[in-house]
Amino acid sequence: MKIVKLCVLAVLPSVVIGSGCAATEKTTFNTLEQQRAIASKSYQQGDLHVAEGYLQRIVSSLPKDSASWCKLGHINYRLNRYSAATNAYERCLSLTPELPEIWHNLAAVKLREATEFLLTGRAYIPELNEAGSASSFAVNYTRLLNELGRLHGVAGYSTEMISDD
């Protein structure tokens, strides 16, 4: 009986220590820093999906990590996922509103969305009315689209529908 008690006492500390490790197995500071490093390097190398995966892990562990939310916004913008970019940028700004470059990036997302909506809708605008000239709506629509193109920095962008006659 004494041998059984001694065996239990000898094994018990390792069971407690082992279960303690499993219960507290959260992402440690070192692994978060490693994940940040991998995400950053992947982003710089253009491997946006790998970077996104690591950043998602980081924000799951640290939902108030503003820098990771900002970087997720950049990734989603580059992948043309504007809704996700908006959400990430807004999350970043809710944590650190003093970042003018993120306000700028959020506005760029909105401009890109507006441009794509107008480009898609352009197919449904009759170019000429019955009198053979563009309607005032078509002219204004085209002007707006041209201005958005100019804001995007597209040189010589024109939809060639504007008539000032």
Side-chain angles (χ1 to χ4, degrees):
M1 187 70 164
K2 285 185 181 185
I3 295 174
V4 173
K5 286 183 182 178
L6 286 176
C7 288
V8 170
L9 289 175
V11 173
L12 189 59
S14 64
V15 170
V16 170
I17 290 171
S19 66
C21 290
T24 60
E25 189 180 288
K26 288 272 185 185
T27 307
T28 63
F29 187 77
N30 284 341
T31 58
L32 278 172
E33 288 308 312
Q34 290 168 351
Q35 289 177 10
R36 273 195 217 334
I38 294 168
S40 180
K41 186 172 186 171
S42 298
Y43 182 83
Q44 290 169 357
Q45 293 175 343
D47 197 344
L48 302 180
H49 296 289
V50 170
E52 178 184 27
Y54 280 99
L55 290 167
Q56 288 291 352
R57 289 181 196 161
I58 292 168
V59 297
S60 291
S61 296
L62 294 172
K64 293 186 178 187
D65 184 6
S66 169
S68 293
W69 284 112
C70 292
K71 189 67 79 174
L72 281 169
H74 301 337
I75 289 170
N76 284 304
Y77 180 76
R78 289 178 62 186
L79 293 173
N80 300 321
R81 297 188 302 211
Y82 304 126
S83 179
T86 296
N87 291 337
Y89 283 143
E90 286 176 348
R91 188 76 179 261
C92 173
L93 289 170
S94 74
L95 298 166
T96 51
E98 67 277 2
L99 299 173
E101 60 276 358
I102 302 304
W103 289 103
H104 171 273
N105 293 350
L106 183 56
V109 170
K110 300 298 185 182
L111 286 173
R112 180 73 58 91
E113 281 182 313
T115 303
E116 288 189 9
F117 283 129
L118 288 172
L119 285 169
T120 301
R122 183 176 61 174
Y124 302 102
I125 297 176
E127 292 191 28
L128 301 175
N129 61 21
E130 293 171 6
S133 62
S135 70
S136 62
F137 176 77
V139 169
N140 289 333
Y141 194 99
T142 303
R143 282 186 179 144
L144 179 57
L145 190 53
N146 287 340
E147 282 303 308
L148 287 171
R150 188 182 62 75
L151 286 171
H152 287 293
V154 179
Y157 185 83
S158 176
T159 57
E160 300 179 18
M161 208 167 145
I162 295 178
S163 171
D164 289 320
D165 297 336

